[in-house]
Amino acid sequence: MQVRRRIKLYISPLLLLFLFVPPMILSQQDLEDENFAVFEDPMTEKFNHLTVHDYTEKVYIGAVNRIYQLSRDLKLEAIAVMGPQEDSPKCPVTRICPNEAKRPTEYHNKALVIDYPQSRLIACGSLFQGICTVHNLNDVTNFVTPANESVVANNSTASTVAFIAQGPKSLPRMHVLYVGVSYTGNGPYRSDVPAVSSRSLDPNNMFAIAHTGVTTGTKVMVNSMSREIYPITYVYGFSSKGFSYFVTVQKKFTDPPKPFISKLIRICHEDVHYYSYTEVPLVCRAPDGTDYNLAQAAYVGRPGSELAVSLGIAAQDDVLFAVFAKSKDESDIYNKPSPNSALCVYALSAVHRKFTQNIQHCFNGFGDRGLDFINPSQNCMVTAYLPSPLKGHGEIFNLAKMMAGHSPKNYSVLTLPD
Ligand SMILES: *[C@@H]1O[C@H](CO)[C@@H](O)[C@H](O)[C@H]1NC(C)=O
Ligand SMILES: *[C@@H]1O[C@H](CO)[C@@H](O)[C@H](O)[C@H]1NC(C)=O
Ligand SMILES: *[C@@H]1O[C@H](CO)[C@@H](O)[C@H](O)[C@H]1NC(C)=O
Ligand SMILES: *[C@@H]1O[C@H](CO)[C@@H](O)[C@H](O)[C@H]1NC(C)=O
């Protein structure tokens, strides 16, 4: 148990780098022999998230019931105690529910991000329908709850991915919090929580949907008929060249036999309506034909020179490293990983190009728009030729509204037997 807790601290978010070195580096004995700094807290059940400040190199850990602040050499500086607290699944985010029986409930950290423009730490947890707190970066025990908004998943296991990136320029603050959340059931207070949204970081409007219009806004909901039968797991999020992306695991169709596959979601930063919401499958197929269908973890970084050459890109270009597992069952109908895994690497330039091609293909009248779990699917219609490159402007996406398409094909694979 102790070993697991220590290792968790070391492998995240550098998991992918460690995959290239012998697994020996992860053993506890080695950590001690090499005199590595170690931080552990035997009182804590689990470390959920870790983030390191780019400049101060302070380390923040979101855990069960606690948020830790460590120095760059892993000396404990502060602990914010976040739980257990009196809560009930039947109590709204305002916590006013005099007639509901509350009981001590654990806080599971679901998101931990540094807001660099405003120098603060944002932490979101499962308590109180998934609210977020804002902490002082020099003392995490000093925090406020600036809004009664359900932002993240409300239970210990449902997935949440959150990251800060540019939002529409028309908003008072240019940076927003992008959040992807699995649906956790049909209670009175979770039905309004979008699957993917951009949340405001403006002090006057904290954590609210960044832009709301009459019928649209910076959010996407899975339609009420599909929610229960179409679970989406959010694995990782990042932004690149004017777009935000989520790596997800979803079903291939809403209709049977529904194997699970991995998909990338993309939203244009400038789009206040989320019309630009687009998905492409993320395929990781080994040379022997095995389809590693379930994305487990991912990271955007730079390739080494050899990898760059094999992908046909420059060493400065970003790539998406993603670790996949194959479903336990042959027909991939369960979102449960088998021990076999593979690492696939995609050039972001190729990912970007694939989204653009898919959108153009649709405008040329081929295929359908897919995504019937969000909106009833429609055929693609021939549309006036698009300005290229396809980026930046909301108008273009009025046409591209919510589309699915084909996977990028050029990627490198490394398979890792159990
Ligand atoms: C959240 O709700 C509580 C209880 O109703 C209230 O006291 C508090 O002021 C609210 N917080 C905000 C930021 O509106
Ligand atoms: C969290 O919610 C999901 C979706 O409803 C459910 O499948 C899962 O079992 C829940 N986890 C716990 C620990 O209750
Ligand atoms: C999460 O919300 C759903 C829907 O309201 C509810 O059924 C479930 O019990 C909640 N889970 C927890 C752990 O509060
Ligand atoms: C990817 O594309 C580049 C340039 O088109 C090509 O040189 C390279 O061999 C391809 N790599 C893979 C892994 O398919």
Side-chain angles (χ1 to χ4, degrees):
M1 208 46 221
Q2 246 180 25
V3 179
R4 282 248 297 283
R5 222 176 290 116
R6 289 183 178 191
I7 288 170
K8 275 204 174 94
L9 181 57
Y10 282 99
I11 62 175
S12 171
L14 296 174
L15 171 74
L16 291 150
L17 301 182
F18 281 107
L19 289 173
F20 295 110
V21 296
M24 170 192 107
I25 201 163
L26 291 177
S27 90
Q28 184 181 0
Q29 195 55 52
D30 285 325
L31 293 179
E32 278 164 7
D33 291 351
E34 297 290 329
N35 224 353
F36 280 102
V38 170
F39 170 74
E40 61 183 329
D41 183 352
M43 299 306 291
T44 284
E45 184 186 321
K46 192 176 175 191
F47 293 156
N48 303 87
H49 295 100
L50 177 147
T51 181
V52 180
H53 194 283
D54 284 347
Y55 312 116
T56 65
E57 296 180 354
K58 281 187 199 296
V59 177
Y60 302 92
I61 305 168
V64 174
N65 294 331
R66 288 179 170 80
I67 293 167
Y68 299 88
Q69 172 190 328
L70 313 180
S71 64
R72 59 190 296 275
D73 53 353
L74 306 189
K75 295 269 178 335
L76 180 64
E77 293 185 340
I79 301 179
V81 176
M82 309 304 291
Q85 293 194 56
E86 296 286 318
D87 192 17
S88 158
K90 296 206 185 99
C91 196
V93 68
T94 57
R95 312 182 198 188
I96 302 176
C97 50
N99 300 324
E100 296 300 340
K102 296 186 182 178
R103 54 183 182 79
T105 308
E106 292 200 312
Y107 168 99
H108 292 267
N109 180 256
K110 307 302 282 185
L112 189 72
V113 288
I114 296 170
D115 178 4
Y116 288 97
Q118 297 183 73
S119 279
R120 55 193 184 174
L121 179 73
I122 293 172
C124 309
S126 55
L127 283 178
F128 314 125
Q129 305 296 342
I131 60 170
C132 298
T133 46
V134 174
H135 300 245
N136 184 320
L137 284 168
N138 292 314
D139 177 11
V140 292
T141 63
N142 178 355
F143 67 92
V144 292
T145 306
N148 292 322
E149 286 278 344
S150 292
V151 177
V152 296
N154 68 336
N155 81 19
S156 60
T157 53
S159 74
T160 298
V161 165
F163 59 97
I164 294 177
Q166 182 118 24
K169 290 204 183 65
S170 56
L171 298 180
R173 295 249 170 210
M174 294 211 322
H175 286 80
V176 296
L177 184 70
Y178 288 87
V179 190
V181 189
S182 297
Y183 185 67
T184 54
N186 209 0
Y189 307 114
R190 297 298 304 177
S191 318
D192 300 336
V193 180
V196 176
S197 59
S198 318
R199 303 272 181 170
S200 171
L201 294 174
D202 183 38
N204 298 320
N205 199 26
M206 267 310 264
F207 302 130
I209 303 299
H211 174 93
T212 48
V214 180
T215 56
T216 63
T218 52
K219 61 174 180 170
V220 156
M221 319 273 295
V222 175
N223 73 52
S224 55
M225 270 124 62
S226 302
R227 274 174 198 163
E228 302 283 342
I229 55 163
Y230 197 84
I232 303 174
T233 304
Y234 295 85
V235 176
Y236 180 65
F238 62 97
S239 79
S240 168
K241 303 220 158 95
F243 295 91
S244 280
Y245 294 82
F246 290 89
V247 176
T248 65
V249 173
Q250 314 181 14
K251 288 177 178 175
K252 192 165 184 179
F253 314 104
T254 45
D255 310 319
K258 317 173 192 172
F260 276 94
I261 60 167
S262 300
K263 278 176 146 187
L264 262 181
I265 290 172
R266 188 178 83 162
I267 303 133
C268 174
H269 287 169
E270 281 305 315
D271 179 7
V272 294
H273 305 289
Y274 267 35
Y275 290 150
S276 60
Y277 182 101
T278 318
E279 298 188 349
V280 304
L282 196 59
V283 174
C284 182
R285 190 169 285 123
D288 70 1
T290 308
D291 186 2
Y292 292 86
N293 57 318
L294 304 176
Q296 301 293 297
Y299 189 71
V300 166
R302 298 272 153 84
S305 52
E306 281 175 39
L307 182 57
V309 168
S310 91
L311 289 167
I313 58 172
Q316 310 79 270
D317 292 342
D318 282 334
V319 295
L320 174 67
F321 298 93
V323 177
F324 294 80
K326 157 122 189 57
S327 279
K328 252 181 176 160
D329 59 306
E330 259 325 294
S331 41
D332 297 341
I333 53 171
Y334 296 105
N335 184 359
K336 290 269 185 300
S338 68
N340 293 348
S341 51
L343 170 66
C344 274
V345 185
Y346 309 80
L348 287 192
S349 54
V351 167
H352 188 89
R353 202 159 49 238
K354 196 70 213 180
F355 272 99
T356 307
Q357 278 172 7
N358 285 334
I359 294 169
Q360 275 170 350
H361 194 69
C362 180
F363 287 172
N364 290 340
F366 299 104
D368 63 38
R369 289 182 181 164
L371 308 185
D372 52 352
F373 51 94
I374 295 172
N375 278 326
S377 194
Q378 292 164 359
N379 289 333
C380 289
M381 294 203 292
V382 179
T383 312
Y385 199 68
L386 285 165
S388 183
L390 194 84
K391 66 173 182 195
H393 304 291
E395 288 307 306
I396 297 174
F397 293 110
N398 256 326
L399 307 165
K401 213 167 177 172
M402 313 247 158
M403 258 200 35
H406 304 284
S407 165
K409 290 208 171 56
N410 185 334
Y411 55 87
S412 291
V413 194
L414 169 69
T415 56
L416 311 159
D418 54 322

